[in-house]
Structures are given as structure tokens and as C-alpha cells.
């Protein structure tokens, strides 16, 4: 483990108790360090360990949570005050690097220069007067998102879904969209995810040459809860630096915000706090707000956040899920049933929503087409029980036509992704919003009523589907 710098700091405390990730430290005389201040425990055998003050137990003792493993520490170890919250390196020097919660590099390359600027991870959100009220849209090239749940530059979007429905793949595709369509910076926060995923993302980014405009910040599931709890703050501080000091637009991706809440719950339990609803920490709402309110557009540049949110046991009423949902502009809900049917991306067009789907923001035509698509698919779902019991033959002519168009719309809103090319063998595509609207209008107007619905599956534009349909017809005529 890299040794943390101790220059210019005086020893002022002693470790008096260690219980896993919780460390009690006694100070003599000079008063206690503030809540959220960083402290460094110096152990002669294993080097420096970073901890953060969480509570004042009495006039001489603080309770801290470790941000690094505490194995090997013992009572009596010396403790150094930092005099401020944890500070992490920021700016162009961290581009293309993989960092941990303390800002130390973890990619096997040379360490960052000593003169790299640093900022504290605990900061206030921008003043309300400095925030921009713009509603510029962030075009992703993903048909179903751009059509039904448009994202805002400087806004917050969350991808809600249970295990294995495609949250991480969607986040990875959005990184490609940012790099391809916008000359911005991407900051990726891996919160409580598997080590394998971190290695895969780093190697994928090196191969696709997008790493030079990306910063990766990881606090993985094999690290202490304190690291997983604070790693989003580290990533957000780096993003704020690019927005405020470098005057760049930033895409902040977090995978997975539920793990941030989960780590906070672990920390709360370790500190002896009484649990709240469903066993979550009593500070759930304030912890989520402290993170989310710092994500904003300010002074002409934006941080756009896209957050993957694990939904435990597919329960969307879980307190963590509802608390996070209260802060986001766009909710992209992934459906296990759609994934089982092969509809990728497995985004539920009915449950997903966005406050930006408003004629004043997206225009009247976009809003009209989106609502018509939603109504058609929703009516099809209402008829599914009848179809499964009695068959399509029992439906009236109008309902039968609507069902066929709804099935075509569902297939048209699928598309191959760049990040899945290696698995599917299908080249990924990015589709402009105008082409998506044109395709949906054609299906809703009946232009494709005599097409085979498989012609609309896993394609980009309607022209691709038309070419696929013509090929299929020629093949059928030849046979």
C-alpha cells in the first residue's frame, strides 16, 4: 500500500480501541478534530491508514471510520491530524488514471506528481444563484431513452433494475455516447462493484482509446465500508474541478448508487446508530441529498449524472430506491420480463419517465409521438391476459391491429450496442432522434403493417428495417 505523506503534520493522538473498521482515538489538550476531518494512523509495520472522524465521544475521544483496511493496527499507534477533510488530486493530471478513495493511483503506472492540485471531498453544493436553469438535452443515440426518457445536460438520470438486467452495459454504452458525441470529460465511480468489472472496464477503455478523457475512481466490494461510502464523493470532487476550474462539461457515471447507500448502512451500524425503516440508516435521506445536490450545472458548464441503481429483490418500494428516485430528473426502469423476452435494452417504456418529456422542452411532435407509443404499448399489455387465455382470434380487428403495431414498436426500440459487439457479433449503432421519431411515426401510421416484426428487431433506423424486410421477401420468393 502506498504510504500517505506525513510532512508538516504533528502527531497529536493515540489509538485507544479498534473494532473492525471503527477506530477510537484519544487526543490530549488541543481540542478535537472536526466531524469529517481526515486523520492518519501511522503503524510501523504496515504504514499509514486513513480514517475519517464521525463522532465526538467525549472531550478527549473521537470515533472514526477507516477508509482503508485496519488489519495490523494496534492500540497505542500514533495518529496525525490533517486539519481538514480528505483531499484528493484533481485536474488534468488525473485524466486516464484509475484512483482509489484517497486519490492514490491503482493502475500500475507512475504515481501522480507531488504538485498535483487537491480539493477536499466534502464541499457545499453550488449556490442556487450560480446554477443554470438550462434544459439542453443530452442525446445518447439510444432510441428508447431519447424518445421516452430524454436526459438533460446538467441533470440526473438513474437506471433502476435488479441483478442481471443490463444496468452496467447501459452505463458503458453511455460512456461511448459521451465520448463520440460530446467533447467532454467522463468520470466513472465504481461503488461496491466486483474487482473483475473494474479490470474489464480499464482494459476496454484502453483498447477503445477513450481512457485519455476519462477518470476511473473505484471503491470495490472487497474494500472496507468507509471506502465504498466515500468513493462517490471523491469522484464528484474530481468532476466539480473539471466543471469549475477547467470549464468543461462532465459526464459523471456511478455504478452502483445502491452500494453507496448500503455502505452507509454498514457504517451506521458499526457506529451503533439505531436502524430506521427496513434496517437502513436513520441518516439515509441526508446522505443521499449530500451527494445528489452537488450534481448541477453552474457558471455555464454542467455535470450530467447517470447512475445505476440496484433494486433489491426487484422491490421498487425499497426505501433506498425511493429516496434516490426523489432526486433524479429521468427514471430509466429496466424490466426482467423484457430481458427474458430478448428486448435489449430491457427498458420498460411504461414504468420509465422523465420530467423533460414536455412540449416546451422537446417540442410538441416529439411529445405526441412518445405518448402515442406509450399508449399503444400500454393497451397491448392490458390485452395480454385476454390473448394468453383466448388467443388473438378473439380480439376485434382494431385491437388486433393495435397489438401488432405495439409488438413492432417494442422490437423497433431495441438496438445493438457498441459494448456488446464482442458477444453478439452485431455492430453497435447510434440513432439520431429524428430517425427514431420517423420510425415510430411510420409504425403508428400503419406503413409497416404488412412487415414481419423480426425485420424491426435489433436494427437502427427504419431504412435498415426496410432493407431487412426486402431481403427476407426476396429470399422467401426464391424458395
Amino acid at each position: 500500500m502506498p504510504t500517505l505523506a506525513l510532512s508538516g503534520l504533528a502527531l497529536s493522538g493515540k489509538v485507544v480501541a479498534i473494532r473492525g473498521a471503527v477506530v477510537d482515538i484519544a487526543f490530549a489538550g488541543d481540542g478535537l478534530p472536526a466531524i469529517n476531518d481526515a486523520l492518519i494512523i501511522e503503524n510501523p509495520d504496515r504504514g499509514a491508514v486513513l480514517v475519517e472522524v464521525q463522532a465526538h465521544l467525549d472531550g478527549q475521544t473521537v470515533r472514526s471510520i477507516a477508509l482503508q483496511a485496519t488489519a495490523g493496527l494496534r492500540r497505542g499507534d500514533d495518529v496525525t491530524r490533517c486539519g481538514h477533510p480528505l483531499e484528493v488530486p484533481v485536474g488534468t493530471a488525473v485524466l486516464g488514471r484509475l484512483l482509489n478513495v484517497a486519490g492514490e493511483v491503482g493502475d500500475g503506472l507512475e504515481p501522480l506528481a507531488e504538485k498535483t492540485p487537491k480539493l477536499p471531498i466534502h464541499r457545499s453544493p453550488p449556490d442556487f444563484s450560480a446554477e443554470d436553469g438550462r434544459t439542453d438535452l443530452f442525446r445518447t443515440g439510444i432510441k428508447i431513452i431519447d424518445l421516452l426518457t430524454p436526459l438533460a445536460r446538467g441533470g440526473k438520470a438513474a437506471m433502476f433494475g435488479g441483478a442481471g438486467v443490463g444496468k452496467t452495459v447501459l452505463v458503458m454504452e453511455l460512456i461511448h455516447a459521451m465520448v463520440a458525441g460530446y467533447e467532454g470529460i467522463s468520470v466513472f465511480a465504481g461503488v461496491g462493484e466486483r474487482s473483475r468489472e473494474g479490470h474489464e472496464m480499464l482494459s476496454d477503455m484502453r483498447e477503445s482509446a477513450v481512457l485519455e478523457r476519462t477518470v476511473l475512481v473505484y471503491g470495490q466490494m472487497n474494500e472496507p465500508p468507509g471506502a465504498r461510502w466515500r468513493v462517490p464523493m471523491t469522484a464528484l470532487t474530481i468532476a466539480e474541478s473539471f466543471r469549475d476550474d477547467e470549464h468543461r462539461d462532465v459526464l459523471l457515471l456511478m455504478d452502483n448508487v445502491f452500494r453507496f447507500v448500503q455502505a452507509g448502512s454498514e457504517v451506521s451500524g458499526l457506529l451503533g446508530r439505531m436502524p430506521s425503516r427496513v434496517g437502513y440508516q436513520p441518516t439515509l435521506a441526508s446522505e443521499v441529498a449530500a451527494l445528489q445536490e452537488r450534481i448541477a450545472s453552474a457558471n455555464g458548464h454542467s455535470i450530467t449524472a447517470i447512475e445505476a441503481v440496484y433494486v433489491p429483490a426487484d422491490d421498487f418500494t425499497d426505501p433506498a430506491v425511493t429516496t434516490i428516485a426523489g432526486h433524479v430528473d429521468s427514471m430509466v426502469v429496466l424490466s426482467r420480463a423484457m430481458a427474458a423476452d430478448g428486448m435489449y435494452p430491457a427498458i420498460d417504456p411504461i414504468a420509465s419517465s422523465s420530467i423533460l418529456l414536455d412540449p416546451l422542452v422537446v417540442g410538441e411532435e416529439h411529445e405526441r409521438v412518445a405518448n402515442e407509443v406509450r399508449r399503444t404499448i400500454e393497451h397491448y399489455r392490458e390485452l395480454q391476459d385476454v390473448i394468453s387465455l383466448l388467443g388473438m382470434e378473439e380480439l376485434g380487428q382494431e385491437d388486433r391491429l393495435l397489438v401488432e403495431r405495439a409488438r413492432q414498436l417494442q422490437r423497433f426500440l431495441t438496438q445493438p450496442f457498441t459494448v456488446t459487439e464482442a458477444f453478439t457479433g452485431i455492430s453497435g449503432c447510434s440513432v439520431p432522434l429524428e430517425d427514431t421519431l420517423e420510425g415510430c411515426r411510420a409504425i403508428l401510421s400503419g406503413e409497416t403493417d404488412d412487415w414481419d416484426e423480426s425485420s424491426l428487431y435489433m436494427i437502427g433506423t427504419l431504412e435498415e428495417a426496410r432493407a431487412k424486410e426486402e431481403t427476407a421477401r426476396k429470399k422467401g420468393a426464391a424458395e
Side-chain angles (χ1 to χ4, degrees):
M1 176 183 292
T3 303
L4 295 161
L6 301 177
S7 57
L9 301 174
L11 299 174
S12 60
K14 297 281 186 184
V15 173
V16 293
I18 305 167
R19 291 178 299 280
V22 176
V23 183
D24 291 350
I25 300 166
F27 292 87
D30 307 326
L32 297 178
I35 300 294
N36 289 335
D37 269 10
L39 306 172
I40 297 172
I41 302 172
E42 182 62 20
N43 181 279
D45 298 326
R46 58 150 300 158
V49 174
L50 191 65
V51 300
E52 185 180 270
V53 177
Q54 289 300 311
H56 293 167
L57 299 182
D58 54 41
Q60 294 180 317
T61 313
V62 300
R63 178 158 289 168
S64 65
I65 197 80
L67 304 184
Q68 295 166 329
T70 56
L73 295 185
R74 53 180 178 259
R75 285 181 293 177
D77 281 345
D78 292 321
V79 179
T80 303
R81 294 174 188 249
C82 292
H84 51 70
L86 170 63
E87 292 185 335
V88 295
V90 297
T92 54
V94 299
L95 283 174
R97 305 306 301 269
L98 186 148
L99 308 175
N100 66 9
V101 66
E104 299 163 345
V105 297
D107 51 14
L109 303 177
E110 70 279 357
L112 297 171
E114 288 290 330
K115 61 181 181 180
T116 304
K118 294 188 175 184
L119 287 174
I121 66 169
H122 295 286
R123 309 174 75 200
S124 299
D127 291 336
F128 188 71
S129 58
E131 292 191 19
D132 295 337
R134 298 179 303 156
T135 51
D136 296 344
L137 295 179
F138 174 62
R139 302 294 189 204
T140 65
I142 299 171
K143 289 183 286 190
I144 191 166
I145 291 180
D146 288 344
L147 176 69
L148 299 178
T149 60
L151 311 185
R153 295 177 72 180
K156 296 182 276 285
M159 315 289 176
F160 294 93
V165 294
K167 297 184 299 298
T168 300
V169 170
L170 204 51
V171 168
M172 291 276 289
E173 187 69 13
L174 288 164
I175 293 177
H176 279 271
M178 179 67 174
V179 172
Y182 298 89
E183 288 299 316
I185 301 294
S186 296
V187 179
F188 180 85
V191 187
E193 293 298 288
R194 303 165 188 84
S195 301
R196 169 185 59 77
E197 292 176 339
H199 287 295
E200 286 177 358
M201 176 166 280
L202 182 60
S203 60
D204 287 348
M205 288 193 164
R206 280 176 173 158
E207 289 170 9
S208 56
V210 301
L211 191 59
E212 62 188 23
R213 294 210 300 274
T214 307
V215 186
L216 303 177
V217 188
Y218 275 94
Q220 294 174 305
M221 61 169 55
N222 61 331
E223 296 188 50
R228 289 179 270 123
W229 190 40
R230 289 310 189 204
V231 79
M233 300 297 189
T234 298
L236 185 51
T237 301
I238 293 169
E240 287 172 330
S241 166
F242 283 114
R243 180 194 65 194
D244 300 334
D245 303 331
E246 304 289 334
H247 307 296
R248 306 282 294 272
D249 288 335
V250 185
L251 179 65
L252 174 65
L253 301 118
M254 287 190 273
D255 188 7
N256 182 304
V257 182
F258 176 79
R259 305 293 182 203
F260 159 73
V261 172
Q262 200 173 40
S265 180
E266 289 179 52
V267 168
S268 181
L270 290 168
L271 295 173
R273 295 179 187 146
M274 187 72 73
S276 182
R277 281 192 308 154
V278 198
Y280 285 107
Q281 61 269 44
T283 51
L284 171 63
S286 58
E287 285 177 14
V288 172
L291 176 68
Q292 301 286 357
E293 292 306 306
R294 287 169 61 182
I295 300 167
S297 295
N299 304 315
H301 294 278
S302 63
I303 297 176
T304 304
I306 295 173
E307 309 166 8
V309 184
Y310 168 68
V311 180
D314 291 343
D315 178 13
F316 284 87
T317 64
D318 185 88
V321 175
T322 55
T323 302
I324 295 166
H327 288 273
V328 300
D329 309 315
S330 303
M331 284 181 59
V332 179
V333 178
L334 289 107
S335 160
R336 192 171 302 282
M338 293 192 68
D341 289 341
M343 300 295 148
Y344 290 107
I347 296 170
D348 189 327
I350 309 304
S352 303
S353 63
S354 172
I355 62 171
L356 299 166
L357 194 60
D358 183 293
L360 296 175
V361 178
V362 298
E364 291 185 4
E365 178 63 7
H366 181 165
E367 192 246 4
R368 183 191 68 78
V369 172
N371 285 338
E372 188 63 29
V373 167
R374 232 185 221 129
R375 274 195 297 270
T376 303
I377 294 173
E378 192 165 18
H379 191 53
Y380 165 50
R381 289 191 179 177
E382 290 169 359
L383 294 170
Q384 275 183 320
D385 285 346
V386 176
I387 295 167
S388 59
L389 287 171
L390 304 174
M392 285 276 285
E393 296 75 20
E394 296 301 315
L395 296 179
Q397 183 62 33
E398 188 178 332
D399 281 344
R400 195 179 306 177
L401 193 62
L402 186 142
V403 165
E404 289 169 357
R405 288 176 184 174
R407 289 176 62 85
Q408 287 188 340
L409 283 168
Q410 284 186 332
R411 280 149 184 77
F412 178 66
L413 292 175
T414 64
Q415 76 186 78
F417 282 173
T418 305
V419 296
T420 59
E421 282 182 20
F423 310 110
T424 62
I426 305 172
S427 297
C429 62
S430 177
V431 183
L433 174 63
E434 293 71 25
D435 290 344
T436 303
L437 291 173
E438 181 190 347
C440 291
R441 276 195 297 262
I443 295 169
L444 290 167
S445 67
E447 188 179 321
T448 63
D449 283 353
D450 60 341
W451 291 15
D452 192 298
E453 61 188 35
S454 63
S455 298
L456 294 153
Y457 180 66
M458 281 295 168
I459 47 90
T461 64
L462 190 69
E463 291 307 311
E464 290 178 43
R466 183 174 280 113
K468 198 172 171 183
E469 175 70 12
E470 287 174 2
T471 304
R473 286 185 179 181
K474 286 177 184 174
K475 187 178 178 182
E479 290 173 355

